[in-house]
């Protein structure tokens, strides 16, 4: 087996892990599986593409490649704006849809079905605004460099892997070392008791939506940079996201990233062993196996 699958799997796994953090936080705090989360990856990528294009139109110097990378300063600047806009989009969807359902005391299955509807609506709106034609942040070609042990990677791939790991570390520190992180963990344990103790539950919910959407946007941007941007970008990653969230353990940020790496490596290995057509089945097998053997995941707590 070609050892290059290790690098390919780590890079794909980092993107999956970032997206899975939003899934696990949403489920942990709001108590429902948000099947519309994948669309936030697509929206984040397209919003960054639009802002980056606008900045490039204003100043062509912003599109000149930075060092060994394939993109200019327009993309990092656009990423900051896109993260904020994706977070606001998530808040808007919650205010219009999920928040109203929670206020009515709707059952979990109603929230899940509503998330399916939100997913379809967001994806259709993307296709209407940007068409279904693939788009790219840059079409510059990069040569993969040797990084040791027979592995090769482009500068963009190494950057994406590093950014993903740094983002997870930052979120872990936020969850464990800050007041809002402690409030999030309290709401995750018992929302009613946390409210009685003085925790602003509504504020925690807003932070969870912004944080999850921001990470999804970042994952979408990096996926779009390394592959391509399509309206179905997030939809295609939805099953791996849920597989990683459940494997890592609901509520565990490091667990989501570690599980994302496991899923990514498993998919890359499957491509070499049995063929690319079986790649999508790997996440399904992992998901079913975890639910049957260890439902609480690697780092989840027993109910």
């Amino acid at each position: 087996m070609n050892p290059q699958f290790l690098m390919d799997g780590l890079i794909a796994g980092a993107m999956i892990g970032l997206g899975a953090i939003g899934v696990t936080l949403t489920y942990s705090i709001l108590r429902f599986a948000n099947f519309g989360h994948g669309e936030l990856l697509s929206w984040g990528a397209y919003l960054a593409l639009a802002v980056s294009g606008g900045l490039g139109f204003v100043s062509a110097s912003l599109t000149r490649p930075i060092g060994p990378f394939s993109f200019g300063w327009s993309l990092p600047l656009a990423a900051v704006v896109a993260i904020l806009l994706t977070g606001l989009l998530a808040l808007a969807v919650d205010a219009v849809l999920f928040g109203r359902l929670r206020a009515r005391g709707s059952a979990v299955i109603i929230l899940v079905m509503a998330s399916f509807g939100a997913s379809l609506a967001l994806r259709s709106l993307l296709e209407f605004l940007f068409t279904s034609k693939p788009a790219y942040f840059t079409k510059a070609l990069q040569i993969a460099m040797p990084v040791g042990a027979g592995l090769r990677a482009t500068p963009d791939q190494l950057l994406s892997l590093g950014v993903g790991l740094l983002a997870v570390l930052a979120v872990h520190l936020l969850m464990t070392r800050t007041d809002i992180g402690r409030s999030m963990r309290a709401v995750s344990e018992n929302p009613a008791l946390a409210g009685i103790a003085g925790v602003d539950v509504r504020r925690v919910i807003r932070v969870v939506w912004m944080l999850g959407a921001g990470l999804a946007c970042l994952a979408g941007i990096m996926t779009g940079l390394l592959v391509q941007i399509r309206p179905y970008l997030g939809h295609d990653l939805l099953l791996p996201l849920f597989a990683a969230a459940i494997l890592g353990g609901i509520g565990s940020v490091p667990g989501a990233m570690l599980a994302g790496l496991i899923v990514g490596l498993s998919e890359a290995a499957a491509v070499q062993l049995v063929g690319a057509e079986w790649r999508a089945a790997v996440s399904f097998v992992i998901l079913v196996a975890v639910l049957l053997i260890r439902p609480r995941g690697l780092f989840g707590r027993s109910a």
Side-chain angles (χ1 to χ4, degrees):
M1 180 185 291
N2 190 334
Q4 182 61 30
F5 88 92
L6 293 172
M7 180 58 67
D8 297 338
L10 287 174
I11 294 168
M15 308 304 102
I16 293 171
L18 274 183
I21 293 174
V23 173
T24 194
L25 289 179
T26 302
Y27 192 97
S28 176
I29 301 295
L30 300 176
R31 303 297 198 278
F32 82 98
N34 178 20
F35 287 95
H37 187 77
E39 308 313 319
L40 296 177
L41 277 76
S42 303
W43 271 90
Y46 273 106
L47 288 171
L49 179 67
V51 176
S52 178
L55 291 174
F57 180 78
V58 172
S59 176
S61 62
L62 292 175
T63 62
R64 295 196 189 101
I66 306 170
F69 305 113
S70 65
F71 55 86
W73 282 108
S74 61
L75 182 57
L77 294 174
V80 175
V81 178
I83 288 171
L84 177 60
L85 292 177
T86 307
L88 293 176
L89 173 64
L91 288 178
V93 173
D94 182 62
V96 172
L97 183 59
F98 300 124
R100 296 189 179 189
L101 292 175
R102 287 196 307 271
R104 295 177 182 177
S106 299
V108 173
I109 187 61
I110 300 298
L111 290 168
V112 172
M113 296 307 296
S115 72
F116 270 114
S119 174
L120 292 173
L122 290 172
R123 194 183 318 139
S124 297
L125 184 57
L126 264 183
E127 288 192 276
F128 175 76
L129 293 174
F130 296 98
T131 76
S132 58
K133 183 179 179 181
Y136 302 86
F137 285 116
T138 173
K139 293 185 179 180
L141 296 177
Q142 286 193 310
I143 304 300
M145 306 177 300
V147 294
L151 306 179
R152 302 178 67 87
T154 66
D156 285 0
Q157 290 175 328
L158 294 175
L159 177 67
S160 297
L161 183 59
V163 169
L165 296 178
L166 286 176
V168 172
L169 177 61
V171 174
H172 179 65
L173 293 176
L174 174 71
M175 295 288 293
T176 57
R177 305 292 177 87
T178 65
D179 290 338
I180 187 61
R182 285 186 281 271
S183 297
M184 290 167 66
R185 286 186 283 129
V187 173
S188 175
E189 292 286 344
N190 191 319
L193 187 59
I196 294 173
V199 175
D200 189 343
V201 178
R202 291 185 178 180
R203 176 170 174 259
V204 168
I205 291 175
R206 289 195 296 270
V207 171
V208 167
W209 280 116
M210 289 289 292
L211 183 60
L215 292 172
C217 174
L218 192 58
I221 292 172
M222 290 189 292
T223 302
L225 176 64
L226 300 181
V227 189
Q228 61 180 204
I229 307 170
R230 301 178 297 111
Y232 278 80
L233 181 153
H235 177 267
D236 293 341
L237 287 173
L238 190 60
L239 185 56
L241 296 184
F242 272 89
I246 294 175
L247 175 60
I250 295 299
S252 173
V253 171
M257 175 52 80
L258 177 60
L261 295 176
I262 293 173
V263 172
L265 287 169
S266 300
E267 289 186 345
V271 169
Q272 288 206 15
L273 290 174
V274 295
E277 65 272 16
W278 292 98
R279 182 176 191 139
V282 173
S283 298
F284 179 74
V285 171
I286 292 175
L287 181 62
V288 172
V290 173
L291 291 175
L292 291 176
I293 300 171
R294 190 181 173 89
R296 63 189 178 94
L298 297 175
F299 297 98
R301 293 187 296 270
S302 299

